[in-house]
Each structure stands twice: as structure tokens, then as C-alpha cells.
Amino acid sequence: MKIEILFEDNYIIVINKPNNILIHNSYYARNIKDATLLDLLEKQFNKSFYPIHRLDRKTSGILVLAKQKENVVVFQDLFNSNDIQKKYLGIVRGFFTESIVINSPVKNADTKVYKDAETLCEPLATYLCDIAVHPYENSRYSLVKLIPTTGRMHQLRIHMNKISHPIIGDYKYGDRFHNRMFETEFACANLFLHAYTLQFKHPFTGIQLNLKANFPDDWYKIFEKFNWNI
């Protein structure tokens, strides 16, 4: 698998991460033996890279990695101070029609302590599907923009489930009936959460970066079926 490169300079490489690939091995994914993103990049470039932030294994989209380990903290400081603007797109169950800020603590995977978490959610499009999904005669979906101001593990997935609009393809926090319908009717089994854009001022070069990641194939299939123009 060749990883798509969105931007590269002497300090960082920005890639479009596919669905279902771990960034690196971890205790929480110890049963997954597939090649990690770092493995694939090392094979592709014959060198090591150092993740500056993270995406869930099932999430696709923009990821920034440092070329020198000592520079990781410089870029992480941008994330910690919210000097990097991140926007995700998600496809969720139900009609979502009003912008809201979700303030709901999320449990830390290591300490089991709940930490403050905040997500801005904005509606982009809706679709009424004539396919029945238990217990209703039809099904409703929304395309939403998600902007996290904190970076908790599974934050977006937990927050959307919290407001009863779980992300399609999420088998941990989502709705199994809608997930199954997307699989059987549309042949789409991946999580519909995509890190779409990333904007920040490069701390070394001073260049303003405005990056965008193309969607996985499943997304374009749904855009066409639902007549969504993105």
C-alpha cells in the first residue's frame, strides 16, 4: 500500500491516512498484527518518521509526522495551544440541523479519569433514505463538520453518540442496525469519520499551510447516492 503524501519539507511529512491502519503498535491494539502506518512509511521512504498527533485506526485523513524526533514537541505545542485548526467530516445517523457545542468529559484510556472535552458540530447536508432500518420504515442521515478544541481518545465518536447521532461505521459507539445497512446495501463497511482539513503556520519556515485530504472511495459512493456535493 502506497501512502498518499499531501505535503513534505525538511521538517515534516503530511499524509492522507487510509482507514483501518494503526499509526504504531500499542497495548490497546496488541491483537492487531497488520503493518502499521510507520511500517508502511519506512518501507516507502526507507527512513523513520515520528507522529506529531494521532488518529484512530478506523479514522482516515490528514496526519502530520516529523522527520526529526526532536522537532515533535515543537509541532505538538501548536496542537496544545490550538494554533492548529482541525476539521473533520462525519456521516451520522439522523437529521442534524443546528450547530451545537458538545461539552462532555471523555474518559482517559490510561488513567480512567474523565477529562474535559469540547467539540463544535455543524450540519452540512441531510438525506432521507427509503431503505428501512430497524425499527423505522426509512432511514435518515446527515453530513456534519466536526471541530474538536481538545484531543481526547475517541472524542468525536463518543460525543456524536452522546447526542444520539452516532457516526456510521462505528462498531464501538455506533448503531449496529445502520452500520449493517451500509454494509449490505452500499458495500460500505468503513468508519465515516475523516480528518478533512488542517491549517497552521509552520513554526520553522513561517509558511501558512492549508491542507486538505481527499476522501476514501466509500465516501464518494455515498456522496453520489445521497446527491451531496462536497
Side-chain angles (χ1 to χ4, degrees):
M1 181 185 296
K2 188 173 183 179
I3 304 300
E4 180 186 3
I5 308 304
L6 304 176
F7 175 83
E8 183 179 5
D9 65 9
N10 292 330
Y11 302 94
I12 57 173
I13 186 169
V14 185
I15 63 99
N16 188 0
K17 176 188 169 298
N19 292 103
N20 303 317
I21 293 181
L22 283 172
I23 295 176
H24 52 69
N25 291 314
S26 71
Y27 173 80
Y28 301 103
R30 56 193 178 279
N31 294 324
I32 298 173
K33 306 303 180 185
D34 296 334
T36 67
L37 178 69
L38 294 185
D39 293 333
L40 295 171
L41 287 173
E42 184 168 359
K43 183 176 181 181
Q44 188 170 328
F45 290 92
N46 197 30
K47 64 176 296 184
S48 297
F49 297 95
Y50 307 92
I52 291 167
H53 59 122
R54 66 188 179 195
L55 292 176
D56 294 342
R57 177 173 70 92
K58 293 179 178 292
T59 303
S60 57
I62 298 178
L63 186 76
V64 186
L65 304 100
K67 291 188 172 182
Q68 294 85 27
K69 190 173 183 179
E70 61 270 21
N71 288 337
V72 169
V73 67
V74 179
F75 287 92
Q76 284 181 339
D77 285 345
L78 297 179
F79 282 92
N80 295 335
S81 60
N82 279 330
D83 288 324
I84 287 184
Q85 287 75 51
K86 297 178 290 181
K87 294 180 182 179
Y88 294 73
L89 292 190
I91 298 176
V92 302
R93 181 191 70 186
F95 280 179
F96 189 88
T97 57
E98 295 183 0
S99 296
I100 64 168
V101 175
I102 308 167
N103 288 297
S104 180
V106 171
K107 185 164 62 175
N108 182 281
D110 295 318
T111 64
K112 309 302 181 184
V113 174
Y114 282 88
K115 293 188 174 183
D116 291 340
E118 182 179 85
T119 303
L120 171 63
C121 184
E122 299 179 358
L124 297 177
T126 59
Y127 184 76
L128 177 63
C129 186
D130 61 3
I131 299 174
V133 176
H134 178 82
Y136 302 106
E137 295 181 352
N138 50 38
S139 45
R140 299 179 175 189
Y141 302 100
S142 297
L143 179 68
V144 296
K145 180 196 298 181
L146 300 169
I147 304 175
T149 59
T150 53
R152 311 304 180 202
M153 186 174 181
H154 295 174
Q155 174 179 320
L156 301 181
R157 296 162 62 186
I158 292 171
H159 274 179
M160 295 314 295
N161 180 57
K162 185 78 173 180
I163 62 171
S164 299
H165 290 286
I167 297 171
I168 300 301
D170 190 341
Y171 276 85
K172 184 175 179 67
Y173 306 102
D175 185 312
R176 68 183 187 277
F177 297 111
H178 288 267
N179 294 343
R180 189 177 303 146
M181 190 278 273
F182 265 63
E183 286 190 26
T184 56
E185 299 292 336
F186 305 145
C188 295
N190 289 323
L191 177 70
F192 279 91
L193 179 62
H194 182 68
Y196 186 44
T197 66
L198 197 68
Q199 298 176 326
F200 64 96
K201 185 177 181 180
H202 198 299
F204 291 101
T205 66
I207 295 173
Q208 178 67 31
L209 296 177
N210 301 292
L211 304 168
K212 181 182 293 185
N214 290 325
F215 297 95
D217 290 342
D218 281 359
W219 285 76
Y220 295 108
K221 189 185 302 184
I222 298 303
F223 289 160
E224 183 177 357
K225 288 180 179 295
F226 290 4
N227 196 30
W228 287 344
N229 296 313
I230 305 301

